[in-house]
Amino acid sequence: RVPEALVHNEMRANERYHAREVVAASDAVWGRLAVGREDVTACRILPGLVDGDRCRLIIEEVRRTRPPPSTFTMSGRNVRETHVSDLPETKRWLRDELFPRLNTTCDALYDALVLRYNAEYSHSHAARAAQPVHRDDAVATINVALNDASEYAGGGTRFEADDTVVKLARAGDALLHPSHLRHAGAATTRGERWVLVAFMTRRALRDISDHARVFHARAFAARQRGDLDNALVLCRCALAVDSRDGELLVQAAKVSTDIADVRDGTLRYRALALLYAARATKVLPRSAAALHVFGLARLRTARRPANAARAVQALDRALGTEGLDAAQRAALRQTRDIAVRTVAFLENTRSR
Ligand SMILES: O=C(O)CCC(=O)C(=O)O
Ligand SMILES: [Fe+2]
């Protein structure tokens, strides 16, 4: 068990580290704005927040904007986005009208984008008009529908923790959510979906939104340099902030597996890996990475053929997921072969 004091100290160090990081980022944007005092703690739908004429004006401004829209790293080529900093009229309206009206505790706009998901460009799974699961680098995110949901199929904002998709019906409806909640842009499968997304932060970040992401990055770096004990402490810190982050659970399972393999051959860390991996597959039931690490953990703790058979099942499900590349497929097949041989081995030793 990781001592609580250690976790606490890491938390404080992280708070300072992250405050610096986010303040540096928000210094680059549009400056300080006066706002109200209402806290943002959960998702909230704000029907009719913006009027339809404004939505049309924003779309028109994007359409006539040259040079071509900038590229946002979260999205594939099937999602086009334009930074609001390239849209003078929309920027003025957002800063002087919408942002003050939202009355959040945020005192800065970190960034804002107009996104355009077009189903036409979606030829393959990897090129869907979607965004992967992520956190936004901010405290609160406002997402404004710029066109009606009747103009497209699919789409909406998916929240990982409860696997719900929020779809806004009318142009001008909005969704306000804490930026640290892991979410994705669900695939638009027909037509075109337009949204304005604005990321709001606080300059004095006392209630920092994004510890889990920063801890996760530090855990990853610690694991890369072979500092497995620290990697595990950092995973624990991140999980203390967000126990339902699937990618983090995968990472924690990998670190525990590494410790078991490299240093501590006892069942302790293997059991821990299995615990994290099982939780990861609950949060991300269709993730090849989660299923793979679960298969490995299940295999390495298997004492009976039924346990090893469960590893084979998980690996089969991983092999059935969409969007695998050749290397992932080969690694999964290899683990599956070992699992199949382990089932046979355990059956043999038992029958003797
Ligand atoms: O399409 C959506 O609703 C989500 C967009 C989003 O999460 C983002 O741009 O950060
Ligand atoms: Fe987002």
Side-chain angles (χ1 to χ4, degrees), residues 33-36 93-104:
L33 296 159
V35 289
W93 164 81
L94 181 62
R95 187 188 53 196
D96 299 343
E97 294 182 37
L98 185 68
F99 183 53
R101 259 175 64 206
L102 290 173
N103 195 35
T104 70

Side-chain angles (χ1 to χ4, degrees), residues 187-205:
T188 297
T189 53
R190 179 179 55 73
E192 193 165 63
R193 170 175 176 248
W194 288 78
V195 281
L196 167 74
V197 188
F199 309 109
M200 304 178 280
T201 65
R202 292 162 69 106
R203 295 196 162 230
L205 282 156

Side-chain angles (χ1 to χ4, degrees), residues 21-31 108-110 201-203 205:
E21 183 190 57
V22 177
V23 168
S26 56
D27 275 350
V29 292
W30 316 334
L109 277 162
Y110 166 64
T201 65
R202 292 162 69 106
R203 295 196 162 230
L205 282 156

Side-chain angles (χ1 to χ4, degrees), residues 77-269:
R77 61 197 150 82
N78 42 359
V79 186
R80 294 190 198 157
E81 70 293 309
T82 309
H83 283 271
V84 170
S85 50
D86 294 331
L87 305 170
E89 168 55 22
T90 300
K91 174 176 164 179
R92 189 208 55 75
W93 164 81
L94 181 62
R95 187 188 53 196
D96 299 343
E97 294 182 37
L98 185 68
F99 183 53
R101 259 175 64 206
L102 290 173
N103 195 35
T104 70
T105 52
C106 296
D107 57 10
L109 277 162
Y110 166 64
D111 196 2
L113 302 163
V114 176
L115 298 175
R116 181 179 180 180
Y117 294 85
N118 192 322
E120 288 295 299
Y121 305 113
S122 313
H123 302 301
S124 66
H125 179 83
R128 288 180 317 160
Q131 269 192 26
V133 179
H134 63 278
R135 301 172 199 279
D136 298 328
D137 261 329
V139 172
T141 302
I142 182 87
N143 183 317
V144 181
L146 297 178
N147 64 337
D148 291 349
S150 57
E151 293 177 20
Y152 55 87
T157 313
R158 187 172 76 79
F159 288 89
E160 181 184 67
D162 51 6
D163 200 17
T164 51
V165 177
V166 176
K167 263 187 96 162
L168 300 168
R170 305 289 311 264
D173 291 351
L175 165 70
L176 188 62
H177 70 83
S179 306
H180 73 273
L181 279 188
R182 282 165 54 85
H183 62 280
T188 297
T189 53
R190 179 179 55 73
E192 193 165 63
R193 170 175 176 248
W194 288 78
V195 281
L196 167 74
V197 188
F199 309 109
M200 304 178 280
T201 65
R202 292 162 69 106
R203 295 196 162 230
L205 282 156
R206 302 212 69 88
D207 52 345
I208 292 160
S209 61
D210 209 6
H211 281 312
R213 185 183 62 81
V214 179
F215 277 132
H216 192 169
R218 291 176 62 200
F220 185 79
R223 179 167 175 248
Q224 293 288 92
R225 47 169 206 273
D227 188 353
L228 297 176
D229 291 309
N230 263 322
L232 193 58
V233 169
L234 291 161
C235 283
R236 292 279 315 261
C237 290
L239 287 168
V241 180
D242 183 353
S243 63
R244 292 185 50 94
D245 178 331
E247 282 170 17
L248 186 54
L249 287 162
V250 169
Q251 181 75 358
K254 284 182 179 167
V255 172
S256 313
T257 304
D258 287 354
I259 295 177
D261 287 355
V262 173
R263 202 194 54 215
D264 184 318
T266 65
L267 196 61
R268 205 162 82 102
Y269 286 97

